[in-house]
Amino acid sequence: MANYLVTGGAGFIGSNIVDALVARGDDVAVLDDLSSGRRENLAGALAAGAVLHEADIRDAAAVRAAFDAARPELVFHLAAQIDVRKSIDDPAFDAGVNVVGTINVLEAARAAGVARLVNTSTGGAIYGETDVMPTPETVTPLPMAAYGQSKQCAELYCAWYARLYGMGTVTLRYGNVYGPRQDPAGEAGVIAIFAGRLLDGRHPVIFGDGLATRDYTFVGDIVAANLAAAANPGATGSYNVGTGTESSVLDVVDALREAGDTAPDAFAPVHEPARMGELQRSSLDVTRARDELGFTTGTTLVEGVRATLGHIRAQRG
Ligand code: NAD
């Protein structure tokens, strides 16, 4: 049993990590400004004794106060500005949250004597256009969006805290994460959006030909990777966490039809013009995470999509 603090713990992925920690009996504090996260995501955890500190990671004093109150031994840092389009429209705001906010969390962690911090980055946005598929960590990041740039910068600060202070930091670069609690009404997350549309009896809207690929990774597997990274003091630097396989948007539509037992005509895609600046291909080489963290991608696309549909159905009663 240990004492954890999860920044962004009221969000989609963070709240799944919080639940896993609470389930195994750990003490958990959450630091979140509820800008995109929701208190309801923490209903079970708060009832079980987890504590929510409502604070903005851009506010160094508030972050410090939360750390002083929680006294964590380990930190999962997920709080972030995650909207790629917004990052391009307002790169200074994006950097304020993702870079300066991360520095505030690292400073508070250092002052509190935190043993280990697991940072969150993006395998989908950090590498930019590359022909190396699946992409290993050795490919030089050349992000196209400010979001990938700020996440890369935050990674470098985590590595710097390890170098200068000997703080145990490690970064996980996720693929395109999906699963329970991702917002079907949000901008991010094609699987959640399409799952919502399938349950509404509406057609999926595909921008472009639907052949663009992503490394769709189930949130339960992401949680497992986080717990493994926290438990492994030898893990340093950055690890890809994904499936190592490419799935197209059309594959997602097929998986949803299969999981939802839906006839092809009832869920036929409607195509709209491709959006500017979208990557054509993305998948992550996860050899390093497999060899050093014992990470395995346990969940197939159809299984994960089925769990996502089940969650949205349950939420809607
Ligand atoms: P999310 O929006 O559900 O979670 C982000 C959380 O951070 C929210 O609870 C939000 O309220 C909180 N937050 C945002 N700004 C904050 C601030 N200034 N101060 C305090 N809290 C703040 O999104 P998510 O998909 O769960 O993302 C979690 C992490 O995973 C992020 O770091 C994101 O960059 C990373 N990530 C996500 C994906 C994905 O596919 N969803 C892929 C790669 C990396």
Side-chain angles (χ1 to χ4, degrees):
M1 186 169 141
N3 209 0
Y4 288 86
L5 186 143
V6 184
T7 76
F12 156 47
I13 301 168
S15 65
N16 278 285
I17 294 176
V18 168
D19 281 351
L21 295 171
V22 167
R24 65 181 199 189
D26 291 311
D27 285 332
V28 185
V30 171
L31 193 164
D32 200 299
D33 70 351
L34 302 181
S35 52
S36 61
R38 299 178 341 149
R39 194 180 287 272
E40 303 90 87
N41 287 342
L42 292 170
L46 294 175
V51 176
L52 170 62
H53 299 273
E54 209 175 315
D56 187 329
I57 56 168
R58 290 172 299 171
D59 180 345
V63 174
R64 185 74 180 262
F67 272 74
D68 283 347
R71 307 216 147 277
E73 300 152 63
L74 293 119
V75 173
F76 292 101
H77 175 45
L78 292 99
Q81 190 303 112
I82 68 156
D83 187 330
V84 170
R85 257 161 249 283
K86 189 169 178 177
S87 81
I88 295 169
D89 291 345
D90 193 350
F93 173 77
D94 177 78
V97 179
N98 293 356
V99 181
V100 178
T102 298
I103 294 171
N104 289 338
V105 170
L106 284 162
E107 266 303 288
R110 181 183 69 80
V114 163
R116 207 158 167 68
L117 181 143
V118 182
N119 178 48
T120 308
S121 188
T122 163
I126 206 165
Y127 296 111
E129 294 286 358
T130 170
D131 293 336
V132 190
M133 275 313 131
T135 312
E137 295 88 347
T138 46
V139 166
T140 305
L142 289 172
M144 294 300 289
Y147 167 72
Q149 186 78 19
S150 63
K151 284 286 185 177
Q152 183 189 7
C153 190
E155 286 192 20
L156 293 172
Y157 272 100
C158 290
W160 179 64
Y161 271 72
R163 208 158 51 239
L164 187 66
Y165 297 116
M167 188 196 270
T169 63
V170 58
T171 289
L172 301 183
R173 294 176 176 168
Y174 306 162
N176 283 60
V177 189
Y178 71 97
R181 297 206 184 117
Q182 193 167 34
D183 186 0
E187 259 295 291
V190 70
I191 291 181
I193 294 168
F194 282 10
R197 292 183 76 92
L198 183 135
L199 295 177
D200 288 341
R202 297 164 74 198
H203 293 277
V205 178
I206 294 180
F207 298 96
D209 57 14
L211 298 176
T213 63
R214 296 289 180 270
D215 193 329
Y216 294 105
T217 312
F218 187 64
V219 67
D221 294 328
I222 293 288
V223 171
N226 272 277
L227 299 184
N232 189 333
T236 57
S238 301
Y239 291 80
N240 288 337
V241 181
T243 65
T245 55
E246 291 178 75
S247 300
S248 70
V249 183
L250 294 173
D251 291 334
V252 168
V253 171
D254 283 343
L256 275 157
R257 283 185 186 134
E258 188 179 336
D261 225 352
T262 309
D265 287 357
F267 197 57
V270 175
H271 289 267
E272 291 198 0
R275 287 172 166 176
M276 288 264 295
E278 296 274 356
L279 293 180
Q280 192 53 30
R281 296 178 70 190
S282 176
S283 84
L284 302 175
D285 184 329
V286 294
T287 308
R288 185 168 186 232
R290 192 191 59 211
D291 291 351
E292 297 182 22
L293 303 178
F295 171 74
T296 51
T297 315
T299 315
T300 66
L301 189 57
V302 172
E303 286 166 355
V305 158
R306 189 170 285 126
T308 309
L309 280 171
H311 176 78
I312 300 174
R313 268 199 202 100
Q315 256 193 332
R316 293 180 176 183

